[in-house]
Amino acid sequence: MASGTPVEAELVQAELVQARGLTKRYGDRTALDGASFAVREGEIFGILGPNGAGKTTAVECVAGLRRPDSGEVRVLGRDPRRGGRELRERVGVQLQQAKLPDAIKVGEALRLYASFYRRPRDWRELLDDLGLADHVGARFGRLSGGQKQRVNVALALVGDPRLAILDELTTGLDPHARRETWDAVARIRDRGVTVILVSHFMDEVERLCDRLAVFDRGRVVAVDTPAGLIDRVDAAYRLSFRPMDGTFSDGPLRDLAGVARVEREGGRVVVTGRGRFADEVTAALARRRLLVADLRIEPRTLDGAFVALTGNGGTGRDGNGTDRMGGDR
Amino acid sequence: MRALAIVETKLLLRQPAWLFTVVIPLFVLAVFGLTAGGGTDPGGGDAHGGAPATPAGDSRSLTGLAAMSVAIGIALVAFYQVPTTLASYREQGILRRLATTPVRPAALLAVQLVLQVGLAVVAGALIVASARLGVGVPLPRDPLAFAAAFVLGVAALFGVGLLIAALAPNGRAANGVGVLLYFPCAFLAGLMLPVAGMPPAVAAAGRFTPLGAFREALLAAWAGGRTDPLPLVIMAAWAIALAAAAARYFRWE
């Protein structure tokens, strides 16, 4: 049905998940306050936000584990609460802090969960993909944190789903284990599985996600690509250099568009500004034929955008789900 | 479902906890049985052959000891194994994880219940066989009444375990509650010392507890004679009430 240019084809890309106006309250606490987002086929869709922003509740609604108080969720065109077995065959879920009995062996767990599905993936091949082939006979309780997490990912994928939901995948993992897990997620997408990735780590989202929704206090405050979000938020950043000529004057730089401040730090000139000021500064230097050394432009990161969108700088390591509470399923 | 049953059985056998539910009652049976009677049963034997020092229906007889041992074994399964396993499955998110697969989490609960009942039957059979072969207590005289007592007793005691599992916030708490509840229940039921040696008021109250009724019904069926329906009725009532409460308060997460 897609015709014409690739751009048009992208516009009509199928949406596997549609969530509109989700609200959910637990007692007097509002977990979701009108959250809307859509996940396109084949992408890694990030759900980013501070603790308590409603991320987990949102994906629990998508997974059919919770019923929103109001609003509508469609997953593969169905209501996840009524989708029944058909939907659970095609949606794999890795829950935050879900464990297995310590005594179960990796191979046993995979074979068992594979038996739940009509058309499972070859679980040995899956363990191979996730770098767990050497641990088939190991008990779950003896695995490292990163290995356990990859077993969790494997269990979410063993049914060969079209959509995989991965919640707080790398919370509590060391940097090496995080990188291993990231590689595993990227390979999942390369197999054509659509992924929803819940995270409160900027670097994780920036590296893995094609698009992301930023959650704050139960609402979606922005949906965009990581680069788009960085561009959209006009955060100040810094450019610095060392002038070759000792008589360098700061004055002309101050008048350039976007420049906020020009300061000296030791022998360096530090220019702070917004928007495309860095281009203006380098062009001005070139026009005046001023030679500079060691020119540095600080990369703009998602952190700045995130802080601007949510007014929250807290991206600490505490991931034990303050946005999860008990309640009836 | 079959795959689930196989894996759960392996997991049960892999953890040493189940051994205690068999070893502890056998230990009680061996220590008291071999020291007290020196291998002869004053209450059992070939019955009407001679005038036994202690009638088989008395709680102090070797038959009484055997009934105590069976009650201890089943109570250990029901008070420790059942609640600890189920509560920790919920705590670890295993039930929640299953809820996202094509298999329903209720299937896991069903498999676990069947498995634990199986463990109770194995423990009971081992104790009856050991009582016969090791201590010389004859097999239950009234097998039908014994089976009825066993079924109702398992139902009532599992009711206790399921209620603990429903109310306990996690596996460790379930285990603790099971321990705390086991000792007073075992005392009231005459499992710590024979009912005949207990204060009459305490012994009378103990008859109405699930475990006390269980021991009494087992002993009556073992010794033979007329079946008193009261303990069976008491156990049935407990089973229904406890199961209803457990179902009412059970949480999947």
Side-chain angles (χ1 to χ4, degrees), chain A residues 126-150:
Chain A
L126 182 59
L127 286 182
D128 220 23
D129 276 3
L130 292 169
L132 288 167
D134 296 340
H135 303 282
V136 174
R139 295 191 180 190
F140 186 74
R142 303 250 169 88
L143 298 179
S144 72
Q147 290 164 344
K148 282 181 180 172
Q149 203 56 291
R150 275 177 287 148

Side-chain angles (χ1 to χ4, degrees), chain B residues 145-235:
Chain B
F146 190 83
F150 193 87
V151 168
L152 287 172
V154 166
L157 295 175
F158 272 45
V160 177
L162 290 174
L163 186 59
I164 297 173
L167 296 176
N170 56 49
R172 197 172 296 172
N175 198 354
V177 173
V179 174
L180 279 180
L181 216 56
Y182 174 78
F183 285 102
C185 283
F187 176 76
L188 278 175
L191 302 183
M192 305 282 207
L193 72 165
V195 181
M198 283 162 61
V202 177
R207 290 189 69 193
F208 292 93
T209 63
L211 197 47
F214 185 39
R215 187 202 57 78
E216 189 182 334
L218 284 177
L219 176 55
W222 217 317
R226 200 179 61 83
T227 305
D228 179 2
L230 181 63
L232 301 182
V233 172
I234 291 171
M235 287 190 288

Side-chain angles (χ1 to χ4, degrees), chain A residues 92-101 104 106 109-110 113 117 126-127 130 132 140 143-159 161 164-171 173 181 184 188, chain B residues 92-94 97 100-101:
Chain A
V93 182
Q94 177 260 317
L95 296 159
Q96 194 178 5
Q97 312 206 325
K99 295 177 190 144
L100 286 172
I104 202 167
V106 171
L110 266 294
Y113 277 71
Y117 298 88
L126 182 59
L127 286 182
L130 292 169
L132 288 167
F140 186 74
L143 298 179
S144 72
Q147 290 164 344
K148 282 181 180 172
Q149 203 56 291
R150 275 177 287 148
V151 171
N152 283 329
V153 173
L155 291 180
L157 297 178
V158 76
I165 298 174
L166 308 174
D167 191 0
E168 296 287 357
L169 199 58
T170 62
T171 299
L173 298 188
T181 313
I188 297 166
Chain B
Q92 294 175 335
I94 291 167
R97 191 204 293 273
T100 68
T101 72

Side-chain angles (χ1 to χ4, degrees), chain B residues 55-143:
Chain B
D58 191 285
S59 57
R60 284 166 296 192
S61 67
L62 282 178
T63 308
L65 177 66
M68 281 166 67
S69 303
V70 172
I72 290 172
I74 309 310
L76 289 175
V77 177
F79 282 54
Y80 295 135
Q81 284 279 329
V82 172
T84 307
T85 311
L86 296 188
S88 60
Y89 274 13
R90 178 180 53 219
E91 179 194 3
Q92 294 175 335
I94 291 167
L95 298 177
R96 257 165 71 80
R97 191 204 293 273
L98 272 182
T100 68
T101 72
V103 169
R104 304 289 65 211
L108 180 60
L109 295 191
V111 164
Q112 268 298 328
L113 271 186
V114 169
L115 208 55
Q116 303 285 0
V117 168
L119 176 59
V121 169
V122 168
L126 267 175
I127 296 160
V128 171
S130 307
R132 172 75 191 85
L133 299 174
V135 194
V137 176
L139 295 178
R141 296 253 169 91
D142 189 346

Side-chain angles (χ1 to χ4, degrees), chain A residues 5-311:
Chain A
T5 67
V7 176
E8 278 169 15
E10 205 177 303
L11 287 175
V12 296
Q13 201 172 21
E15 290 181 344
L16 286 197
V17 177
Q18 293 159 318
R20 274 187 289 272
L22 300 185
T23 65
K24 181 80 190 175
R25 299 178 62 81
Y26 301 117
D28 59 356
R29 214 180 63 84
T30 303
L32 288 177
D33 186 14
S36 300
F37 56 92
V39 181
R40 295 178 193 154
E41 177 143 34
E43 70 180 352
I44 298 182
F45 185 81
I47 290 187
L48 179 71
N51 287 327
K55 307 185 295 291
T56 292
T57 306
V59 292
E60 282 175 343
C61 289
V62 172
L65 289 169
R66 287 189 198 286
R67 186 191 299 282
D69 296 336
S70 66
E72 196 193 15
V73 193
R74 290 270 148 194
V75 179
L76 306 174
R78 293 165 189 255
D79 175 352
R81 295 286 296 184
R82 301 212 189 88
R85 183 179 175 115
E86 285 310 313
L87 203 51
R88 293 194 297 269
E89 286 271 355
R90 292 192 282 167
V91 178
V93 182
Q94 177 260 317
L95 296 159
Q96 194 178 5
Q97 312 206 325
K99 295 177 190 144
L100 286 172
D102 280 346
I104 202 167
K105 291 176 184 168
V106 171
E108 283 173 351
L110 266 294
R111 191 185 306 130
L112 175 63
Y113 277 71
S115 77
F116 296 164
Y117 298 88
R118 286 197 204 103
R119 285 175 302 277
R121 274 190 70 179
D122 177 347
W123 59 266
R124 289 183 180 278
E125 183 193 295
L126 182 59
L127 286 182
D128 220 23
D129 276 3
L130 292 169
L132 288 167
D134 296 340
H135 303 282
V136 174
R139 295 191 180 190
F140 186 74
R142 303 250 169 88
L143 298 179
S144 72
Q147 290 164 344
K148 282 181 180 172
Q149 203 56 291
R150 275 177 287 148
V151 171
N152 283 329
V153 173
L155 291 180
L157 297 178
V158 76
D160 202 10
R162 278 184 73 192
L163 172 68
I165 298 174
L166 308 174
D167 191 0
E168 296 287 357
L169 199 58
T170 62
T171 299
L173 298 188
D174 62 58
H176 177 65
R178 292 181 72 201
R179 218 152 291 133
E180 283 180 341
T181 313
W182 288 346
D183 290 345
V185 175
R187 279 198 297 275
I188 297 166
R189 189 244 331 261
D190 295 344
R191 283 183 58 96
V193 180
T194 305
V195 178
I196 298 180
L197 183 74
V198 178
S199 180
H200 62 260
F201 294 117
M202 297 309 144
D203 51 349
E204 179 166 299
V205 167
E206 195 169 350
R207 173 171 166 156
L208 280 177
C209 295
D210 299 302
R211 293 191 312 136
L212 63 123
V214 179
F215 273 61
D216 188 37
R217 285 171 283 241
R219 293 169 171 277
V220 177
V221 292
V223 180
D224 210 332
T225 61
L229 278 178
I230 292 167
D231 276 350
R232 177 194 302 207
V233 174
D234 195 18
Y237 60 106
R238 296 175 4 141
L239 170 153
S240 67
F241 56 85
R242 207 151 36 76
M244 303 288 273
D245 180 356
T247 63
F248 184 85
S249 154
D250 301 350
L253 294 181
R254 289 183 212 278
D255 301 330
L256 295 172
V259 170
R261 279 195 309 281
V262 181
E263 294 151 318
R264 294 284 181 133
E265 278 178 16
R268 299 186 70 82
V269 177
V270 179
V271 188
T272 308
R274 293 172 186 275
R276 308 188 66 82
F277 87 91
D279 297 347
E280 298 278 346
V281 171
T282 46
L285 294 174
R287 268 198 313 274
R288 290 154 198 254
R289 301 184 192 286
L290 288 168
L291 292 178
V292 300
D294 200 13
L295 177 74
R296 291 182 212 160
I297 303 175
E298 283 181 2
R300 293 182 298 163
T301 63
L302 203 49
D303 277 281
F306 182 75
V307 172
L309 284 166
T310 65

